Amino acid sequence: MRPASWAFAATASAAIAHAATLDDVCTASYVQASLPAGDFYQGITVDPSSVVVSAVSNASVSGQTWFPDATFDYCDVTFAYSHDGRDDQVHVRYWLPAPDEFQNRYLSTGGGGYAINSGTGSLPGGIIYGAVAGATDGGFGSFDTSSDAAFLLQNGTVNWQSLFMFGYEAIHELSTLGKEFTRRFFNMSDTKLYAYYQGCSEGGRDGWSQVQRFADEWDGAVTGAPAFRFSFQQVQHLYSNVVEHTLGYYPPPCELEKIVNETIAACDPLDGRTDGVVARSDLCKLHFNTSSVIGKPYYCAASTGSTVIGPFAGSTSNPEQNGTVTAKAVEVADKIIEGLHDLQGRRVYLSYQPAASFGDARTQYDKETGSWELSINSGGGEFVSRYLNLVNSSTLDSLDNVTYDTLKHWIYQGWQRYEDTLHTTWPDLTPFQSAGGKVLHIHGESDSSIPPASSVRYYESVRSVMYPGQSYNESNAVLQDWYRLFLIPGAEHCGSNSLQPNGPFPQTTLETLINWVEKGVTPTTLNGTVLSGPNAGETQQICAWPLRPYWKNNGTELECQYDQASIDTWHYNFDAFKMPVY
């Protein structure tokens, strides 16, 4: 069963033997004969004996964020390769559609957190569109091993090769080998193979790592909530903790949740439609005063369970919580949203939008003292411990004596050390644009893990660097010929938001990209679907930056409008640094 929204071509590649079935080609011998030849990729040797093949029928997916429900057959192939002169082994996995379902397409996928892949979770997103879909283990030991496990050989000694693989090389090799394997497997000869990418979070950064370096690797890429500007982003996870530590107040989670819910309720109507979704967090920033929440009661029942803050997971055991919102809690919330400044008041980095949950600020309960205390964010803590201090540890023991200037120092240190691998904000994309590439860049406006203003910053950097001397509107128009950014109303990190369930999510973004690349259908807006909540199934259009959504006629008609005051709230001057921050 195919998604109803997609009109598939009636025929596959003319070069394929249409009588062939999945069982005919999904064999070890056929796959081995289809592997890239020994001299195809200089410096890489593919190991035919490593091939593992399995035919899968009637696989199904449902309730996913990045692709619609579907049932399909595929050939699951893994094999290994090594780098000549180096004692290593890298595994790649490719899901290949049945020959009669192949649509001359290839798709690479990425990971999340410190992982370079998403298991097999992203691969159906290629299969349902007739594409071979690939993932890599980066050479880190297995598909279940994250890059941080391979980063240090021992304390103080970096495995630089693993860093380069995680930074950009493994995804490049995955794509280059995958495209050649696809051509050979389906006997494509001179038939055009369209190559794509889709990923979010670290996967979004993975995508930009290729667009910025390899002009002709893909015809198009979907990059979601990218974790680029890596040192800034990872240290940003500690900023909320340092705010709490500096102000000497550790809010119960329920108190911050009350602030978020009151913010949503107050700012929801500002976009012209009352539906539980803050589609205009910029208007919220301009018009909502958080101090209005002071004194309002909150209550949360006792709970035990797991938490997921962006790509980082943890566990919680919270007692019953009740009280009224304090001025101290509002001060913490306002300081977090304000963003990091050094002790001289200069801006270091940006932060989350109003109505985003305060995931980084989550505190933990001490049963012995009966009080709430600091809970150091694991993503930021590991970055400082492992990637800056080069200690094989996934946490920091404390934030004592850590100031806003300390965070600035950590950011700058990581920026310098990893600019050529993890920073990933090179703004001149001329080679990719000249090669005809297209990018759909999306970011949830209520993302509580990677601030959406981070994506706006990069988009604006590309615009100003590539089209200097043109007016703002002129440069936007020419940039949008091949690169478009969409902020998703109410959406969380790489998905829908339980606090704003009526928000749309662009579940068929890859389909939109395919239509743009292959048929020239330019996405003026992006199709969004409400995936949960009372309005589940409703479709909405999502505006392309810099236009902002506003609902007219009592919330029945969406207008994508130009609002300079709103746009200005997304622009920042990082005057704490003398180097440009792209």
Side-chain angles (χ1 to χ4, degrees):
M1 185 178 76
R2 299 294 179 185
S5 61
W6 180 254
F8 279 89
T11 61
S13 170
I16 299 174
H18 291 273
T21 66
L22 187 66
D23 288 337
D24 292 332
V25 296
C26 195
T27 66
S29 59
Y30 187 90
V31 168
Q32 288 169 337
S34 303
L35 295 175
D39 60 351
F40 168 71
Y41 196 128
Q42 185 178 13
I44 281 180
T45 298
V46 175
D47 178 11
S49 69
S50 67
V51 168
V52 177
V53 181
S54 176
V56 180
S57 300
N58 294 316
S60 63
V61 289
S62 62
Q64 299 298 305
T65 300
W66 289 87
F67 44 83
D69 299 354
T71 300
F72 51 87
D73 304 332
Y74 66 94
C75 181
D76 183 359
V77 173
T78 62
F79 62 83
Y81 66 89
S82 60
H83 296 94
D84 298 350
R86 187 181 302 126
D87 184 20
D88 69 348
Q89 189 176 58
V90 183
H91 288 87
V92 287
R93 163 168 270 139
Y94 299 100
W95 281 13
L96 302 102
D100 62 346
E101 299 289 348
F102 178 59
Q103 298 294 313
N104 303 336
R105 298 182 185 124
Y106 169 81
L107 176 76
S108 279
T109 65
Y114 290 101
I116 199 169
N117 67 70
S118 303
T120 59
S122 297
L123 300 182
I127 289 290
I128 64 175
Y129 295 117
V132 173
T136 177
D137 77 350
F140 306 137
S142 75
F143 286 103
D144 298 323
T145 305
S146 292
S147 65
D148 51 353
F151 175 71
L152 291 177
L153 297 173
Q154 59 183 16
N155 286 350
T157 304
V158 175
N159 181 349
W160 291 106
Q161 180 56 31
S162 75
L163 176 67
F164 282 104
M165 288 293 282
F166 183 59
Y168 60 88
E169 190 58 38
I171 296 292
H172 180 57
E173 292 169 359
L174 169 74
S175 301
T176 305
L177 293 172
K179 290 190 294 182
E180 178 67 7
F181 176 48
T182 299
R183 293 186 183 99
R184 292 170 64 91
F185 187 91
F186 290 106
N187 299 312
M188 291 189 68
S189 185
D190 295 329
T191 305
K192 166 67 177 176
L193 174 67
Y194 289 97
Y196 298 100
Y197 177 83
Q198 182 165 259
C200 192
S201 192
E202 166 57 28
R205 192 203 65 80
D206 290 332
W208 282 114
S209 77
Q210 308 302 293
V211 170
Q212 293 168 12
R213 286 178 173 84
F214 308 108
D216 58 354
E217 183 170 321
W218 303 322
D219 296 285
V222 175
T223 59
F228 49 26
R229 216 173 291 105
F230 199 84
S231 180
F232 288 75
Q233 169 57 33
Q234 299 304 79
V235 175
Q236 160 72 14
H237 281 305
L238 293 174
Y239 170 59
S240 297
N241 296 155
V242 175
V243 168
E244 293 169 324
H245 206 46
T246 301
L247 297 179
Y249 185 69
Y250 307 99
C254 193
E255 187 173 19
L256 287 180
E257 185 177 319
K258 178 65 173 179
I259 293 174
V260 173
N261 286 332
E262 289 293 326
T263 302
I264 293 171
C267 295
D268 173 13
L270 297 178
D271 57 28
R273 187 187 195 195
T274 303
D275 57 356
V277 179
V278 179
R280 292 294 297 277
S281 64
D282 40 40
L283 292 179
C284 189
K285 183 176 285 189
L286 288 170
H287 300 295
F288 178 63
N289 188 341
T290 319
S291 63
S292 63
V293 185
I294 295 173
K296 292 195 174 183
Y298 64 83
Y299 173 80
C300 293
S303 64
T304 300
S306 60
T307 60
V308 178
I309 303 171
F312 305 107
S315 61
T316 59
S317 180
N318 293 334
E320 181 182 59
Q321 304 166 58
N322 63 80
T324 57
V325 176
T326 62
K328 269 294 189 183
V330 167
E331 185 181 10
V332 167
D334 286 345
K335 190 67 175 177
I336 291 172
I337 292 173
E338 179 188 23
L340 175 59
H341 291 70
D342 65 17
L343 296 180
Q344 297 183 52
R346 300 171 300 190
R347 179 170 290 280
V348 178
Y349 202 44
L350 41 79
S351 190
Y352 308 109
Q353 295 296 110
S357 64
F358 295 98
D360 288 347
R362 185 173 298 277
T363 52
Q364 58 189 358
Y365 187 70
D366 187 327
K367 294 181 180 179
E368 294 185 3
T369 63
S371 61
W372 294 91
E373 60 183 26
L374 190 68
S375 177
I376 299 175
N377 179 275
S378 61
E382 178 173 13
F383 179 75
V384 174
S385 177
R386 193 183 305 274
Y387 289 80
L388 297 185
N389 297 338
L390 305 184
V391 174
N392 191 22
S393 172
S394 59
T395 187
L396 289 173
D397 293 331
S398 87
L399 291 178
D400 291 347
N401 301 316
V402 173
T403 68
Y404 301 136
D405 277 0
T406 309
L407 296 181
K408 173 187 171 182
H409 169 72
W410 284 340
I411 285 174
Y412 200 72
Q413 181 183 0
W415 181 11
Q416 288 186 309
R417 184 177 295 176
Y418 301 113
E419 183 171 32
D420 62 336
T421 50
L422 302 178
H423 193 66
T424 322
T425 59
W426 189 264
D428 183 4
L429 306 180
T430 300
F432 180 81
Q433 182 269 334
S434 298
K438 303 285 194 293
V439 176
L440 291 178
H441 180 173
I442 71 173
H443 205 135
E445 194 154 328
S446 287
D447 192 324
S448 64
S449 181
I450 300 177
S454 168
S455 285
V456 172
R457 178 73 176 192
Y458 180 68
Y459 174 93
E460 294 292 345
S461 296
V462 174
R463 181 192 61 78
S464 61
V465 167
M466 290 190 63
Y467 305 107
Q470 297 189 24
S471 71
Y472 187 75
N473 288 337
E474 289 172 342
S475 57
N476 266 306
V478 67
L479 178 58
Q480 291 186 359
D481 284 342
W482 58 277
Y483 171 20
R484 293 189 171 227
L485 169 64
F486 296 87
L487 300 181
I488 315 304
E492 244 288 0
H493 185 64
C494 297
S496 52
N497 188 349
S498 61
L499 298 180
Q500 301 179 57
N502 289 328
F505 199 84
Q507 191 182 42
T508 56
T509 306
L510 181 58
E511 175 186 327
T512 301
L513 179 66
I514 290 171
N515 280 328
W516 194 13
V517 169
E518 298 181 20
K519 299 180 181 179
V521 181
T522 303
T524 304
T525 57
L526 200 59
N527 294 325
T529 304
V530 178
L531 301 178
S532 62
N535 295 347
E538 179 180 301
T539 59
Q540 298 178 16
Q541 295 303 300
I542 299 168
C543 299
W545 176 265
L547 301 183
R548 306 297 293 134
Y550 188 81
W551 293 87
K552 302 189 300 182
N553 298 329
N554 296 318
T556 61
E557 181 184 353
L558 175 67
E559 177 184 66
C560 296
Q561 61 179 218
Y562 189 94
D563 183 339
Q564 189 63 57
S566 292
I567 292 171
D568 289 345
T569 69
W570 295 89
H571 294 163
Y572 296 90
N573 175 26
F574 297 124
D575 55 345
F577 302 105
K578 295 184 178 179
M579 290 285 291
V581 181
Y582 294 121

PDB file of all heavy atoms in Angstrom, residues 250 319 364-374:
ATOM      1  N   TYR A 250      16.304  26.259  41.818  1.00  0.00           N
ATOM      2  CA  TYR A 250      16.133  25.045  41.020  1.00  0.00           C
ATOM      3  C   TYR A 250      14.649  24.693  40.987  1.00  0.00           C
ATOM      4  O   TYR A 250      14.140  24.020  41.878  1.00  0.00           O
ATOM      5  CB  TYR A 250      16.967  23.905  41.618  1.00  0.00           C
ATOM      6  CG  TYR A 250      18.419  24.304  41.811  1.00  0.00           C
ATOM      7  CD1 TYR A 250      18.887  24.715  43.062  1.00  0.00           C
ATOM      8  CD2 TYR A 250      19.291  24.326  40.733  1.00  0.00           C
ATOM      9  CE1 TYR A 250      20.215  25.116  43.230  1.00  0.00           C
ATOM     10  CE2 TYR A 250      20.621  24.728  40.894  1.00  0.00           C
ATOM     11  CZ  TYR A 250      21.065  25.120  42.151  1.00  0.00           C
ATOM     12  OH  TYR A 250      22.369  25.520  42.303  1.00  0.00           O
ATOM     13  N   PRO A 319       8.196  13.334  43.008  1.00  0.00           N
ATOM     14  CA  PRO A 319       7.088  13.294  43.967  1.00  0.00           C
ATOM     15  C   PRO A 319       5.946  14.180  43.487  1.00  0.00           C
ATOM     16  O   PRO A 319       6.054  14.882  42.482  1.00  0.00           O
ATOM     17  CB  PRO A 319       7.725  13.860  45.239  1.00  0.00           C
ATOM     18  CG  PRO A 319       8.727  14.846  44.718  1.00  0.00           C
ATOM     19  CD  PRO A 319       9.283  14.224  43.463  1.00  0.00           C
ATOM     20  N   GLN A 364      16.242  17.644  39.554  1.00  0.00           N
ATOM     21  CA  GLN A 364      15.991  16.332  40.137  1.00  0.00           C
ATOM     22  C   GLN A 364      15.702  16.473  41.633  1.00  0.00           C
ATOM     23  O   GLN A 364      16.164  17.409  42.289  1.00  0.00           O
ATOM     24  CB  GLN A 364      17.183  15.402  39.918  1.00  0.00           C
ATOM     25  CG  GLN A 364      18.501  15.895  40.489  1.00  0.00           C
ATOM     26  CD  GLN A 364      19.665  15.033  40.057  1.00  0.00           C
ATOM     27  OE1 GLN A 364      19.506  14.042  39.351  1.00  0.00           O
ATOM     28  NE2 GLN A 364      20.860  15.403  40.474  1.00  0.00           N
ATOM     29  N   TYR A 365      14.944  15.513  42.140  1.00  0.00           N
ATOM     30  CA  TYR A 365      14.484  15.586  43.524  1.00  0.00           C
ATOM     31  C   TYR A 365      15.402  14.777  44.429  1.00  0.00           C
ATOM     32  O   TYR A 365      15.730  13.625  44.145  1.00  0.00           O
ATOM     33  CB  TYR A 365      13.056  15.051  43.618  1.00  0.00           C
ATOM     34  CG  TYR A 365      12.435  15.236  44.977  1.00  0.00           C
ATOM     35  CD1 TYR A 365      12.089  16.505  45.427  1.00  0.00           C
ATOM     36  CD2 TYR A 365      12.188  14.144  45.799  1.00  0.00           C
ATOM     37  CE1 TYR A 365      11.503  16.686  46.684  1.00  0.00           C
ATOM     38  CE2 TYR A 365      11.601  14.312  47.054  1.00  0.00           C
ATOM     39  CZ  TYR A 365      11.260  15.587  47.489  1.00  0.00           C
ATOM     40  OH  TYR A 365      10.689  15.756  48.721  1.00  0.00           O
ATOM     41  N   ASP A 366      15.844  15.389  45.521  1.00  0.00           N
ATOM     42  CA  ASP A 366      16.672  14.733  46.529  1.00  0.00           C
ATOM     43  C   ASP A 366      15.756  14.297  47.679  1.00  0.00           C
ATOM     44  O   ASP A 366      15.257  15.131  48.444  1.00  0.00           O
ATOM     45  CB  ASP A 366      17.748  15.698  47.035  1.00  0.00           C
ATOM     46  CG  ASP A 366      18.755  15.015  47.960  1.00  0.00           C
ATOM     47  OD1 ASP A 366      18.357  14.087  48.700  1.00  0.00           O
ATOM     48  OD2 ASP A 366      19.945  15.401  47.948  1.00  0.00           O
ATOM     49  N   LYS A 367      15.540  12.991  47.789  1.00  0.00           N
ATOM     50  CA  LYS A 367      14.627  12.489  48.821  1.00  0.00           C
ATOM     51  C   LYS A 367      15.134  12.772  50.228  1.00  0.00           C
ATOM     52  O   LYS A 367      14.342  12.975  51.151  1.00  0.00           O
ATOM     53  CB  LYS A 367      14.436  10.985  48.628  1.00  0.00           C
ATOM     54  CG  LYS A 367      13.718  10.607  47.351  1.00  0.00           C
ATOM     55  CD  LYS A 367      13.553   9.096  47.246  1.00  0.00           C
ATOM     56  CE  LYS A 367      12.833   8.725  45.959  1.00  0.00           C
ATOM     57  NZ  LYS A 367      12.674   7.248  45.821  1.00  0.00           N
ATOM     58  N   GLU A 368      16.451  12.772  50.410  1.00  0.00           N
ATOM     59  CA  GLU A 368      17.010  12.971  51.745  1.00  0.00           C
ATOM     60  C   GLU A 368      16.791  14.382  52.258  1.00  0.00           C
ATOM     61  O   GLU A 368      16.476  14.589  53.428  1.00  0.00           O
ATOM     62  CB  GLU A 368      18.499  12.632  51.738  1.00  0.00           C
ATOM     63  CG  GLU A 368      18.795  11.158  51.477  1.00  0.00           C
ATOM     64  CD  GLU A 368      20.274  10.848  51.588  1.00  0.00           C
ATOM     65  OE1 GLU A 368      21.053  11.772  51.925  1.00  0.00           O
ATOM     66  OE2 GLU A 368      20.658   9.687  51.342  1.00  0.00           O
ATOM     67  N   THR A 369      16.962  15.365  51.356  1.00  0.00           N
ATOM     68  CA  THR A 369      16.803  16.758  51.779  1.00  0.00           C
ATOM     69  C   THR A 369      15.397  17.283  51.509  1.00  0.00           C
ATOM     70  O   THR A 369      15.016  18.344  52.008  1.00  0.00           O
ATOM     71  CB  THR A 369      17.820  17.662  51.058  1.00  0.00           C
ATOM     72  OG1 THR A 369      17.548  17.628  49.646  1.00  0.00           O
ATOM     73  CG2 THR A 369      19.238  17.192  51.310  1.00  0.00           C
ATOM     74  N   GLY A 370      14.642  16.536  50.691  1.00  0.00           N
ATOM     75  CA  GLY A 370      13.303  16.987  50.344  1.00  0.00           C
ATOM     76  C   GLY A 370      13.299  18.237  49.492  1.00  0.00           C
ATOM     77  O   GLY A 370      12.364  19.042  49.564  1.00  0.00           O
ATOM     78  N   SER A 371      14.339  18.387  48.670  1.00  0.00           N
ATOM     79  CA  SER A 371      14.452  19.601  47.852  1.00  0.00           C
ATOM     80  C   SER A 371      14.836  19.247  46.419  1.00  0.00           C
ATOM     81  O   SER A 371      15.310  18.143  46.130  1.00  0.00           O
ATOM     82  CB  SER A 371      15.509  20.544  48.442  1.00  0.00           C
ATOM     83  OG  SER A 371      16.775  19.914  48.459  1.00  0.00           O
ATOM     84  N   TRP A 372      14.603  20.218  45.551  1.00  0.00           N
ATOM     85  CA  TRP A 372      14.982  20.064  44.138  1.00  0.00           C
ATOM     86  C   TRP A 372      16.393  20.605  43.944  1.00  0.00           C
ATOM     87  O   TRP A 372      16.774  21.611  44.551  1.00  0.00           O
ATOM     88  CB  TRP A 372      13.994  20.808  43.237  1.00  0.00           C
ATOM     89  CG  TRP A 372      12.637  20.190  43.297  1.00  0.00           C
ATOM     90  CD1 TRP A 372      11.619  20.525  44.149  1.00  0.00           C
ATOM     91  CD2 TRP A 372      12.168  19.100  42.519  1.00  0.00           C
ATOM     92  NE1 TRP A 372      10.539  19.714  43.945  1.00  0.00           N
ATOM     93  CE2 TRP A 372      10.842  18.823  42.943  1.00  0.00           C
ATOM     94  CE3 TRP A 372      12.714  18.325  41.503  1.00  0.00           C
ATOM     95  CZ2 TRP A 372      10.075  17.817  42.393  1.00  0.00           C
ATOM     96  CZ3 TRP A 372      11.954  17.310  40.936  1.00  0.00           C
ATOM     97  CH2 TRP A 372      10.655  17.058  41.373  1.00  0.00           C
ATOM     98  N   GLU A 373      17.161  19.924  43.087  1.00  0.00           N
ATOM     99  CA  GLU A 373      18.549  20.309  42.892  1.00  0.00           C
ATOM    100  C   GLU A 373      18.941  20.198  41.421  1.00  0.00           C
ATOM    101  O   GLU A 373      18.175  19.688  40.580  1.00  0.00           O
ATOM    102  CB  GLU A 373      19.472  19.439  43.742  1.00  0.00           C
ATOM    103  CG  GLU A 373      19.388  17.963  43.433  1.00  0.00           C
ATOM    104  CD  GLU A 373      20.251  17.110  44.346  1.00  0.00           C
ATOM    105  OE1 GLU A 373      20.518  17.545  45.490  1.00  0.00           O
ATOM    106  OE2 GLU A 373      20.666  16.020  43.911  1.00  0.00           O
ATOM    107  N   LEU A 374      20.136  20.639  41.139  1.00  0.00           N
ATOM    108  CA  LEU A 374      20.631  20.680  39.770  1.00  0.00           C
ATOM    109  C   LEU A 374      20.722  19.285  39.162  1.00  0.00           C
ATOM    110  O   LEU A 374      21.133  18.330  39.809  1.00  0.00           O
ATOM    111  CB  LEU A 374      22.025  21.324  39.752  1.00  0.00           C
ATOM    112  CG  LEU A 374      22.634  21.675  38.393  1.00  0.00           C
ATOM    113  CD1 LEU A 374      21.861  22.798  37.748  1.00  0.00           C
ATOM    114  CD2 LEU A 374      24.096  22.078  38.576  1.00  0.00           C
TER     115      LEU A 374
END
